[in-house]
Amino acid sequence: MGQVVCKSLFQSLFDYKTAKYVIAKNKKVGLLYRLLQASILAYLVIWVFLWKKGYQDTDTSLESSIVTKVKGVTFTNTSDLGARLWDVADYVIPPQGENVFFIVTNLIVTPNQRQGTCAESENIPDGLCYKDSDCPPGEPVVAGNGVKTGRCLRAGKMQRGTCEIFAWCPVETKSRPSKPLLGKAEDFTVYIKNFIRFPKFNFSKTNVLDTEDRSYLKFCQFDPKNLYCPIFRVGSLVSWAGSNFQDIALQGGVIGIQIEWDCDLDKAPSECNPRYHFSRLDNRFSEKSVSSGYNFRFAKYYRDTEGVQFRTLMKAYGIRFDVMVNGKGAFFCDLVLIYLIKKSNFYRNKKYEEARELGVCLQPVESSRQGGAPETEDAAGPGLPELPEAQDGGGSPKENGCVCRQLLEPARSGHLGNGKVNVEQPQNLQTVEA
């Protein structure tokens, strides 16, 4: 029994199987089959090609540059700073506009700070003490303003005090103002100039109108119908992000400005237009959250008549603007060039620098059943007909009953000029039957 099974399996190795098709004269099955074919075709045409534009080549490696400039002035009169005019150099940080910039809208000012000893702020937990041993000398106050000196300073008969520190004194003790110092900053303007380039298609554009009118940017302002005047009112930016300017100016915040370039480069360059989106990036849903708002400290340093340095410390609240650019370019002609036109092989190989072998058909070979093989001299002699342009034959020397000579493709041989292959006089060719 086992021998019979093994013999049967061995013999089956040499069996040849071929497919057999049965035509069923059934209208329901035939209709279902055609509907399935039509559905697949509709999916490819409507969804893949028309909607998703799958026939296009895309470039997502967008190169972009951002230049920003803020303009506007305002006047304040406070007990700490007195009468003061604020211009761009005072409230914009950094002064050279980039894709991130900050506008000061509120301040806590601690003037005339000098290096010396003073009591640490009561709002610093590590600075609290009951006795001198709680303030080891030379130890920095965690999240504080200076270095402990070894003394515990108590006011009156209070048991708890604060450590004496060596620091810039007096330390900052004031709370945030109830109204923004630069509440009128909502009327300031921001100029956001964006240059973009799709390197794959060598396509460049900017979001500024191409005009020789030098006064254009002095009088225009951005709106949905005027995309190529990127001058924005600060209050409008905040409003478009879904926030109130006076609220965000009080404790600060972060606004995102997104510029999107989604371009169909099959169309005219004028159809490639920027789209703007504005959003609030920090936590604005809970005003009491520690993560909401935006602030930082900086100081301005001076020297008195005796050469002693002192400073004015400022805790700045304001609006940070993050400008983000993204986009993609889609192009159809590149695919036409490398796949659909007559010389597509040449352009495709130049584009990807491939080095394949081409089989160039020199002369048809007569069938051996019609009286023998042709002479080699006729194929290589003076009567050689004009050669066709090289076609990618998959690298096989035996193609359609032709005598073939193996040639290197242009990227490797260097024998290609004006889209044609220059073939030297063939020698010692052999006849190959189909």
Side-chain angles (χ1 to χ4, degrees), residues 146-202:
V147 178
K148 299 174 183 178
T149 63
R151 296 177 59 195
C152 180
L153 304 179
R154 291 180 291 273
K157 296 182 180 180
M158 297 191 61
Q159 293 184 350
R160 192 179 71 175
T162 57
C163 292
E164 182 185 65
I165 58 174
F166 178 79
W168 286 95
C169 300
V171 297
E172 179 185 282
T173 57
K174 297 179 181 178
S175 59
R176 187 184 65 207
S178 58
K179 291 184 179 181
L181 177 65
L182 303 183
K184 295 183 179 180
E186 62 182 324
D187 293 324
F188 295 169
T189 59
V190 182
Y191 174 43
I192 304 175
K193 182 164 54 175
N194 179 213
F195 302 94
I196 61 105
R197 178 175 178 267
F198 293 106
K200 191 172 185 179
F201 306 126
N202 196 26

Side-chain angles (χ1 to χ4, degrees), residues 21-89:
Y21 295 92
V22 178
I23 299 177
K25 301 290 186 178
N26 188 303
K27 293 183 178 180
K28 293 182 179 180
V29 176
L31 179 61
L32 180 62
Y33 175 64
R34 297 304 178 191
L35 286 176
L36 181 61
Q37 287 182 322
S39 300
I40 296 174
L41 182 61
Y43 166 78
L44 292 174
V45 173
I46 298 175
W47 177 257
V48 176
F49 285 93
L50 298 181
W51 185 258
K52 289 294 185 179
K53 297 186 178 181
Y55 59 86
Q56 290 182 322
D57 194 7
T58 59
D59 184 3
T60 58
S61 57
L62 179 69
E63 297 175 351
S64 174
S65 175
I66 295 289
V67 177
T68 58
K69 186 184 296 183
V70 182
K71 287 188 176 182
V73 295
T74 189
F75 176 81
T76 61
N77 192 353
T78 64
S79 58
D80 293 326
L81 297 175
R84 180 166 180 174
L85 180 71
W86 296 79
D87 64 8
V88 176

Side-chain angles (χ1 to χ4, degrees), residues 3 5 25 50 103 105 109 169 181 191 198 228 242 263 269 273 279 319 322 343-344 353 364 374 377 383 394 426-427:
Q3 293 181 349
V5 173
K25 301 290 186 178
L50 298 181
I103 297 179
T105 56
V109 181
C169 300
L181 177 65
Y191 174 43
F198 293 106
Y228 287 90
C263 298
N273 299 315
S279 58
I319 307 172
D322 288 14
K343 299 179 182 178
S344 60
E353 292 295 333
E377 294 180 359
Q427 298 178 358

Side-chain angles (χ1 to χ4, degrees), residues 256-426:
I257 303 172
Q258 182 173 334
I259 307 176
E260 183 179 7
W261 297 84
D262 191 358
C263 298
D264 186 349
L265 301 183
D266 291 336
K267 301 178 181 178
S270 59
E271 297 295 322
C272 177
N273 299 315
R275 289 190 295 176
Y276 295 84
H277 306 277
F278 310 91
S279 58
R280 178 82 180 267
L281 300 182
D282 63 307
N283 185 6
R284 63 184 179 88
F285 300 103
S286 177
E287 294 183 357
K288 296 182 180 180
S289 173
V290 294
S291 63
S292 62
Y294 187 84
N295 65 78
F296 63 92
R297 291 175 176 84
F298 67 97
K300 294 188 176 182
Y301 294 84
Y302 312 92
R303 289 188 182 274
D304 59 19
T305 56
E306 298 178 357
V308 179
Q309 188 180 55
F310 67 98
R311 74 179 189 180
T312 297
L313 177 65
M314 298 184 182
K315 182 178 181 181
Y317 297 83
I319 307 172
R320 167 177 162 152
F321 293 91
D322 288 14
V323 184
M324 300 160 283
V325 181
N326 61 65
K328 65 178 181 178
F331 201 42
F332 176 63
C333 293
D334 203 38
L335 298 183
V336 174
L337 188 68
I338 63 177
Y339 291 113
L340 302 182
I341 68 174
K342 185 177 180 181
K343 299 179 182 178
S344 60
N345 287 329
F346 165 65
Y347 292 113
R348 181 166 63 252
N349 294 325
K350 279 295 184 183
K351 178 179 176 69
Y352 298 109
E353 292 295 333
E354 294 177 348
R356 299 176 181 173
E357 290 185 350
L358 296 177
V360 181
C361 182
L362 298 180
Q363 180 173 333
V365 180
E366 299 292 338
S367 173
S368 60
R369 292 178 296 179
Q370 297 181 358
E375 296 181 3
T376 308
E377 294 180 359
D378 295 336
L384 182 67
E386 182 180 357
L387 296 176
E389 294 182 8
Q391 302 293 329
D392 190 350
S396 174
K398 188 174 180 180
E399 297 284 349
N400 301 324
C402 294
V403 178
C404 298
R405 174 184 171 90
Q406 296 299 311
L407 299 174
L408 291 179
E409 193 143 67
R412 198 170 71 182
S413 68
H415 286 283
L416 184 59
N418 300 324
K420 295 185 179 181
V421 177
N422 300 323
V423 184
E424 298 177 358
Q425 189 74 3

